[in-house]
Amino acid sequence: MNELADIALADIGLDGLAISGILIAVALVLSVVRRLGLEKDLLVAAARALVQLLIVGFALRIVVDGDDPLIFTWIWVVLMVVVAAWTVRRRAPEVPNVIPLALLSFAAAAAVTLGVLFGLRVFEPTGRAIVPIAGMMVGNSMTATVVVSRRLVAEVRDYRDLIEARLALGLSSHDAFAPHLREALRTGLVPQIETTKTVGLIALPGAMTGLILAGVEPIEAVRVQVAVMYLVLGSVSTTAAVMALGLTRRLFTKDHRLVLVEKAASQP
Amino acid sequence: MSGFELSGIVVEGDGRRRLDGVALEIGDSGITVLAGASGSGKSTLLRLLNRLDVPDEGTVSWQGTPLDDVDVLLHRREVGMVFQTPAVAPGTVLDNLRIGAIDLDEETGADLCNLMSLDADLLTREASTLSGGEKQRVCLARTIATGPELILADEPTSSLDPEATEVIETLAKRFTSPESPMQLGWIWVSHDSGQIERLADRVIRLDAGRVVEES
């Protein structure tokens, strides 16, 4: 453990940070040699990552400081959720009124996952634990929300004839859309399940890597990582389900008619 | 009255009136053909009768009751609908027949195939592998499996070859004839003058969303 602590890279210093920038140069060389035209994007991305994370780092000092009340922590979490909901709208512009549904999905996922992890004291409810865990919950849920909502709208556009044929046979909107809802949920959940299956075999996950780099005993890091993976599975499932069910209600009227997606977008 | 009664029907869409003050009575027996050029409002009208759409103004009544007041799922079983493009679900023909009739057994499925002049061996075939004409007959069979009194047919033969078209037309006439135990009524959308002549007991012609002729 002492050896690990000795080589821990928690403080790499400014010189270490500058040296790691050499790796950006590798990508730049590739872009120039292969005429990819990505040099500007690479430089902007590298600079943005540095500036954004520095700002976040300074802000987090306030949020995770044990002496401050958790109110700043929860404000941070709410901000993450709001930004994620806006991001969902940007990534899924064809989905009608997606922001309220995304907010509802994230709120449900937060209640379930943070409730279990902090309510049952898997982690101590401190700013230092809540912020990163909520971040992982929101980040992964956001991806699933985008995938599921876009897939649902695509199912309606691609299979409108079949869905209406089922409705015309006297099926309820719930039954007529069930196969498509299943497909959309599978599309959202399967990648996360596959990632969970192969974790550790192909690449070490982020939280575990960070903890090991910071000098934590690997087995302890594994315990945290497994809890995080379960958190991600739980939050992705919850957000996908809430988004799918909420959006399905928007796509049908109470008297079992399929509305045009464009019309659904204009409804409050 | 028996059948449909429409009064003051207006449907707006695409910046125009797709149906403009339509008032009609359509009985629940025989073959009524809704004729007219593309965009005249035929399919829009048919969708109202199955409650897949609702009018912006006016009332559609079935057997004397406004559709606003009926159980829409029950209504769609009484008034079935087949579409222009046969949309079969993934799975076998039998799976498709069971969409609206969950408890349908294989024997009844085979009877339905015979009724549709389809080989009963097709029951276990993937529905997606059938020809266009066979798919349309499967769609008709699964509609009949729900026990409708009347079938709305939205240009059901427009994507079929003449041979498949003749089979569907023959079935329609057979199910409507006084000798048939089903005594099905049809409201059939068509713009094919030959088909209208072959099938229609009554023709309602639409133009620009208005009824311009009844014969």
Side-chain angles (χ1 to χ4, degrees), chain A residues 217-265:
Chain A
E217 180 68 28
I219 295 300
E220 286 176 36
V222 164
R223 280 205 298 269
V224 172
Q225 182 62 52
V226 169
V228 166
M229 302 246 25
Y230 293 167
L231 157 94
V232 169
L233 266 182
S235 60
V236 164
S237 305
T238 308
T239 42
V242 173
M243 170 57 77
L245 295 173
L247 189 53
T248 300
R249 286 169 64 102
R250 290 250 172 90
L251 295 171
F252 292 89
T253 61
K254 283 181 183 166
D255 61 347
H256 309 280
R257 286 181 289 115
L258 181 57
V259 297
L260 291 172
V261 173
E262 292 75 16
K263 278 190 181 175

Side-chain angles (χ1 to χ4, degrees), chain A residues 164 167-168 171 256-257, chain B residues 47 51-52 54 76 99 142:
Chain A
E164 289 206 318
L167 291 173
L171 269 67
H256 309 280
R257 286 181 289 115
Chain B
R47 289 173 62 84
R51 194 77 175 171
L52 287 176
V54 293
R76 287 178 182 155
I99 290 176
R142 73 186 180 191

Side-chain angles (χ1 to χ4, degrees), chain A residues 141-155:
Chain A
S141 299
M142 189 177 69
T143 307
T145 302
V146 170
V147 170
V148 167
S149 59
R150 294 195 72 176
R151 184 60 195 246
L152 276 175
V153 170
E155 288 282 320

Side-chain angles (χ1 to χ4, degrees), chain A residues 14-229:
Chain A
L14 286 176
D15 51 344
L17 182 63
I19 292 168
S20 69
I22 292 171
L23 299 170
I24 300 297
V26 173
L28 283 171
V29 168
L30 173 71
S31 179
V32 170
V33 171
R34 304 306 304 176
R35 296 180 186 169
L36 303 181
L38 294 174
E39 299 88 333
K40 190 181 167 191
D41 280 344
L42 275 166
L43 288 171
V44 168
R48 273 189 62 164
L50 178 64
V51 172
Q52 284 169 196
L53 288 177
L54 279 175
I55 294 170
V56 169
F58 282 115
L60 276 175
R61 284 175 68 179
I62 303 167
V63 172
V64 303
D65 190 331
D67 295 334
D68 284 326
L70 282 179
I71 183 71
F72 294 113
T73 301
W74 290 116
I75 289 173
W76 183 278
V77 172
V78 169
L79 278 175
M80 278 196 294
V81 165
V82 171
V83 171
W86 277 99
T87 309
V88 170
R89 191 181 80 155
R90 193 166 46 78
R91 289 195 195 167
E94 73 275 38
V95 180
N97 292 313
V98 75
I99 287 183
L101 279 177
L103 287 172
L104 183 65
S105 305
F106 296 144
V112 171
T113 55
L114 302 186
V116 168
L117 290 183
F118 294 109
L120 301 179
R121 297 282 168 169
V122 177
F123 293 101
E124 285 303 309
T126 61
R128 189 171 287 273
I130 292 171
V131 168
I133 283 176
M136 280 183 276
M137 182 275 289
V138 171
N140 286 282
S141 299
M142 189 177 69
T143 307
T145 302
V146 170
V147 170
V148 167
S149 59
R150 294 195 72 176
R151 184 60 195 246
L152 276 175
V153 170
E155 288 282 320
V156 170
R157 286 193 171 140
D158 296 346
Y159 298 101
R160 188 172 192 92
D161 288 352
L162 182 55
I163 296 164
E164 289 206 318
R166 289 197 189 98
L167 291 173
L169 288 167
L171 269 67
S172 67
S173 53
H174 175 272
D175 291 341
F177 198 55
H180 307 278
L181 184 67
R182 265 197 299 276
E183 192 55 39
L185 282 172
R186 286 179 61 84
T187 307
L189 296 181
V190 165
Q192 194 56 53
I193 294 169
E194 291 303 316
T195 303
T196 308
K197 276 185 194 168
T198 57
V199 68
L201 299 179
I202 299 166
L204 293 181
M208 186 171 146
T209 306
L211 287 168
I212 292 172
L213 283 172
V216 171
E217 180 68 28
I219 295 300
E220 286 176 36
V222 164
R223 280 205 298 269
V224 172
Q225 182 62 52
V226 169
V228 166
M229 302 246 25

Side-chain angles (χ1 to χ4, degrees), chain B residues 7-23 37-45 48 54-58 206-212:
Chain B
S7 59
I9 298 296
V10 173
V11 175
E12 311 264 4
D14 300 331
R16 65 189 174 94
R17 286 200 161 188
R18 299 161 76 92
L19 290 175
D20 188 4
V22 170
S38 179
S40 59
K42 311 181 296 289
S43 296
T44 304
L45 178 54
L48 297 182
V54 293
D56 293 300
E57 292 174 30
L206 287 100
D207 183 38
R210 291 172 175 270
V211 176
V212 291

